[in-house]
Each structure stands twice: as C-alpha cells, then as structure tokens.
C-alpha cells in the first residue's frame, strides 16, 4: 500500500507536465475548431467567440490601434496573430485568453499571413513599407524585406513556402521564397498595373489576383508558370465613377464554381471575371462566397452600408437583400457555411444569419465590431 502511494506521488507530477499553469477561459478542456476572434476597432480589444452556441467567451484588451486589423491562426488553431494599424503584431492564446507576446514592428501595417508550414508570420507595412517576417513561436524577427518605400498590400501565403504581395506605389508583385527564412529569395514582377490596392489567391494556390486602383482591370499572376495577365481591362470604360468612400477588399475568396467575383471600384456593381456585371445596391466592399460556392454575399461602403445582398451563382442575380443595421463592416461564414456572422459597427452588434433561410438566429453585443475571423481559416490557403 505504501509503495502504491509513493508510485502515485511520482506519477501525478509527471502526468501534469505540459499542462497550462493558468485557468482556461472556458469551464472545461476543449478544442478550438469552433472558436473565432471579433475585432472591436474603437477600443483596441477583441472578443473570443464560439460559433456553435453563439457565445462570447472573453474580451482581450490592450491591442492598440485596430482600425484596420486582420487576423491569421496557427495551424493548431490555438493562437491568433493580430495585425494592427499601428504596426503592432500580437500573438493571442485563445484557450488561456491572454496575450502571449506583442511587438511593435512598424509604423503602419495593413495585414499579414502565416506560412505554409505554420512556422513563419509575415506582416505587410505602409510605413515604412516592406515586409517583416517573424518566428511564429517566439515573434523573433527573421527577415526584413524592404520595398524602397512602397506601401505593401495584398500579402498572402502560397504553396511552396512562399509569401506573395503587391507594391502599391511601384506597381509590382513580389514572390518571396522562405525556405531559408533569414535569406529569402525574391522574384519580382514589374509593371503589372497602376496602384494594386489588395489581392486574393485562389483556393488551390495557383492564381494571385491583384485589384488595381489606378486603372480599370486586375492583374493575375499564375504561380505555376510565372505569367502575369491583365483581366477585366477597361471594365469601367464610359461609366462615370462615383466617389470611393472605402476601398474594396479582395480577400475572402469570392470564387464560386467556375467564377470569380470582385467588387468594382467606384461603381455599383460586382464583376464576374468572365465579363458579366451584376448591378448591386451600392459600392461593394466585401464580396464573399459561401463555402459551398452557391451564394455570394456582398456588403457596401457608405452611404449604403446598412445593407447586405446575396447573389445566386446559378442565376447571376440578387436573390435577397438584408438590412442588418448601421455600418455593416464584415462577414464571416461558419466553417461549413450554414451560418454567417455579420458585424454591425454603429449598432454595436454582431448578427448571425441562417444562410439557407436568411433568418436572423442570434445577436451578440460588441463594442464597434469590425473584422470577424474564425479558426477554420488556419487550414485554408491565403487566409
């Protein structure tokens, strides 16, 4: 009996090695597959939410300027990397609900990406320009890729342990091979068009498409053969452009079936890369495909930002118009697309809709919410 108790005394500490020393922000040990992060842009805070039960789990403060924040996730879906407008890069533990580390890596940043193997985190910068690459575990700076002062936009990960990004001022697309993180190899594609403002990468990682602010059209880089082509050239020829109150966003994979949907700059239209044009309520900001590709959801810039419209891909027409509230900023589908979460900034709410019936199924309070990011992104190229 005495030996049994001694055995237990030695075994118990061994079994506890590696267990977290702080309390989880949820009652029981759990996975992270149904978690997400909601950015509260006005207060420099984020919410950790659970999609299954429409629950707020925690509020994390002290993340700086989140007026243009984005998030990527570690491959185990436990850690969120938050890119702030003030140049801050924050690593957040979503199980312990605490900041692991935060570094101020630049003066003004607009997004980032995590590498194919999950070991590198890259940040794109407006000021002073360039891309910085960090160790995902420690946030140690591994590489600084200068762009001669050009703003960097449209940073995504790509197969082959690569990052791809666009230079707004220089009109170029660069591909960084990160097999040797401290000595990246850069391939430059020049004169791709005027002022690329954002970009997306196809779900299979083959095509990188950059929108052009300085001219009508988009630039498409084929990462398999290294060819750059102009698509949808002169799509606005002869049209009077309206003032642009908010730049459209291309990330979100507005790809459904054989079609690619993109917002038109200065026009009330969603463009289909095969040449079709779908009239919509206002100037699109996000054009996002439901995971099954059957529907595309669209939100709009001021003064029409109280509206969301749904496009049926088979019919190529609007089938539903919703009015979630004042200042709809972002939408995010649950992993299999049965619901969509919508941030309504000026009403301080997140609204959840059933994507089959379009019924509102839940409302959560949030302080000036903007970006919504679910951990399923961890296993998708370009997100």
């Amino acid at each position: 009996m005495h030996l049994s108790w001694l055995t237990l005394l030695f075994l118990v500490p061994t079994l506890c090695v590696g267990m977290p020393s702080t309390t989880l922000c949820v009652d029981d040990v759990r996975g992270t597959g149904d978690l997400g992060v909601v950015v509260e842009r006005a207060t420099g805070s984020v919410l950790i939410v659970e999609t299954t039960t429409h629950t707020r789990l925690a509020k994390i403060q002290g993340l700086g300027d989140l007026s243009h924040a984005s998030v990527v996730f570690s491959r185990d879906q436990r850690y969120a990397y938050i890119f702030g407008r003030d140049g801050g890069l924050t690593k957040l533990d979503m199980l312990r609900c605490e900041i692991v580390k935060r570094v101020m890596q630049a003066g003004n940043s607009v997004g980032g990406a995590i590498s194919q193997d999950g070991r590198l985190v890259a940040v794109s910068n407006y000021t002073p320009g360039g891309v910085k690459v960090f160790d995902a575990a420690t946030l140690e700076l591994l590489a600084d890729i200068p762009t001669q002062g050009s703003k960097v936009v449209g940073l995504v990960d790509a197969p082959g342990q690569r990052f791809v990004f666009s230079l707004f001022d220089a009109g170029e697309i660069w591909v960084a091979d990160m097999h040797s993180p401290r000595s990246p190899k850069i391939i430059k594609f020049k004169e791709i068009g005027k002022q690329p403002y954002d970009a997306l990468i196809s779900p299979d990682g083959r095509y990188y498409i950059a929108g052009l602010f300085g001219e009508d059209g988009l630039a498409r880089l084929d990462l398999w053969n290294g060819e750059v082509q102009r698509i949808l050239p002169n799509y606005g020829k002869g049209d009077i452009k309206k003032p642009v109150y908010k730049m459209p966003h291309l990330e979100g994979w507005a790809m459904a079936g054989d079609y690619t949907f993109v917002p038109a700059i200065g026009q009330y239209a969603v463009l289909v890369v095969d040449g079709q044009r779908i009239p919509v309520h206002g100037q699109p900001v996000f054009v996002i495909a439901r995971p099954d590709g059957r529907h595309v959801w669209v939100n709009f810039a001021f003064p029409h930002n109280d509206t969301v419209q749904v496009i049926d891909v088979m019919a190529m027409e609007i089938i539903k118009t919703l009015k979630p509230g004042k200042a709809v900023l972002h939408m995010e589908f649950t992993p299999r697309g049965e619901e969509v979460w919508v941030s309504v900034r000026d009403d301080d709410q997140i609204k959840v809709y059933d994507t089959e019936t379009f019924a509102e199924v839940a409302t959560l309070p949030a302080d000036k919410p903007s970006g919504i990011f679910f951990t399923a992104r961890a296993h998708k190229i370009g997100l």
Side-chain angles (χ1 to χ4, degrees):
M1 192 70 169
H2 179 68
L3 288 175
S4 297
W5 278 109
L6 283 175
T7 302
L8 284 174
L9 286 172
F10 282 105
L11 277 177
V12 169
T14 303
L15 291 173
C16 291
V17 170
M19 294 295 289
S21 58
T22 57
T23 304
L24 297 176
C25 63
V26 288
D27 293 335
D28 300 306
V29 176
R30 58 163 301 148
T32 55
D34 64 347
L35 298 187
V37 171
V38 176
V39 174
E40 294 185 312
R41 59 183 290 153
T43 55
S45 56
V46 298
L47 301 176
I48 298 176
V49 297
E50 182 200 87
T51 64
T52 302
T53 60
H54 309 135
T55 305
R56 290 175 33 147
L57 299 179
K59 182 185 183 95
I60 313 299
Q61 298 178 310
L63 286 92
D65 183 354
L66 300 183
S67 59
H68 191 286
S70 61
V71 180
V72 299
F73 297 97
S74 60
R75 66 191 304 168
D76 64 2
Q77 300 179 313
R78 176 171 178 172
Y79 299 100
Y81 299 89
I82 302 166
F83 310 98
R85 192 60 187 256
D86 56 3
L89 167 61
T90 305
K91 182 178 181 179
L92 174 66
D93 186 330
M94 290 187 295
L95 289 182
R96 295 186 176 183
C97 295
E98 63 184 18
I99 294 172
V100 177
K101 190 170 183 178
R102 175 172 165 79
V103 297
M104 297 301 296
Q105 57 84 41
N108 187 340
S109 60
V110 292
I114 191 163
S115 63
Q116 184 179 34
D117 64 3
R119 297 181 179 181
L120 306 174
V121 173
V123 190
S124 58
N125 293 312
Y126 268 14
T127 305
V131 170
K132 289 186 178 179
V133 182
F134 298 84
D135 183 294
T138 64
L139 296 192
E140 175 193 359
L141 179 64
L142 301 178
D144 188 348
I145 304 172
T147 55
Q148 292 74 53
S150 180
K151 301 179 184 69
V152 174
V153 298
L155 172 64
V156 300
D157 63 283
Q161 195 68 354
R162 294 177 292 178
F163 292 120
V164 188
F165 50 93
S166 296
L167 279 59
F168 177 84
D169 303 288
E172 300 178 3
I173 296 172
W174 290 13
V175 179
D177 182 325
M178 302 303 301
H179 281 95
S180 298
R182 295 184 184 277
S183 302
K185 298 178 181 178
I186 309 298
I187 299 175
K188 302 177 182 180
F189 298 88
K190 300 188 176 183
E191 298 181 356
I192 57 94
K194 294 180 180 178
Q195 297 178 322
Y197 67 87
D198 199 8
L200 62 82
I201 191 168
S202 60
D204 61 3
R206 177 173 181 176
Y207 295 107
Y208 176 87
I209 300 175
L212 302 176
F213 185 71
E215 61 184 276
D216 291 340
L218 301 94
R220 183 178 68 187
L221 168 62
D222 187 332
L223 290 166
W224 289 10
N225 59 30
E227 294 181 356
V228 179
Q229 291 182 321
R230 191 68 52 84
I231 57 177
L232 293 179
N234 302 315
Y235 67 77
K237 189 174 183 179
D239 295 336
I240 298 175
K241 286 192 175 182
K242 298 174 176 62
V244 178
Y245 293 105
K246 184 173 177 59
M247 291 290 284
H249 288 262
L250 296 182
E251 72 269 16
W253 290 354
M255 296 186 174
D258 296 327
Y259 303 102
T260 301
F261 297 80
V262 294
I265 298 178
Q267 297 182 28
Y268 289 8
V270 170
L271 306 175
V272 188
V273 170
D274 69 356
Q276 298 183 64
R277 178 191 303 248
I278 302 171
V280 292
H281 179 69
Q283 292 182 37
V285 176
F286 283 100
V287 179
I288 303 176
R290 199 172 69 181
D292 65 351
R294 177 60 190 273
H295 290 163
V296 171
W297 288 56
V298 187
N299 73 326
F300 304 98
F302 177 86
H304 303 291
N305 57 357
D306 64 341
T307 301
V308 171
Q309 290 189 309
V310 183
I311 298 171
D312 183 279
V313 172
M314 288 185 67
M316 288 294 178
E317 63 183 23
I318 302 294
I319 60 168
K320 189 68 176 180
T321 297
L322 301 169
K323 296 284 185 179
K326 298 177 181 178
V328 173
L329 294 192
H330 197 236
M331 303 167 291
E332 180 84 338
F333 291 99
T334 50
R336 298 198 182 191
E338 79 285 353
E339 292 180 345
V340 63
W341 289 44
V342 178
S343 60
V344 189
R345 183 193 63 195
D346 292 354
D347 288 339
D348 294 312
Q349 291 180 338
I350 303 160
K351 293 194 173 181
V352 184
Y353 291 91
D354 183 302
T355 58
E356 184 176 359
T357 66
F358 306 114
E360 183 182 326
V361 296
T363 301
L364 287 74
D367 193 348
K368 298 294 179 290
S370 54
I372 304 172
F373 307 88
F374 294 153
T375 55
R377 288 171 169 251
H379 307 297
K380 297 177 180 178
I381 296 171
L383 295 179

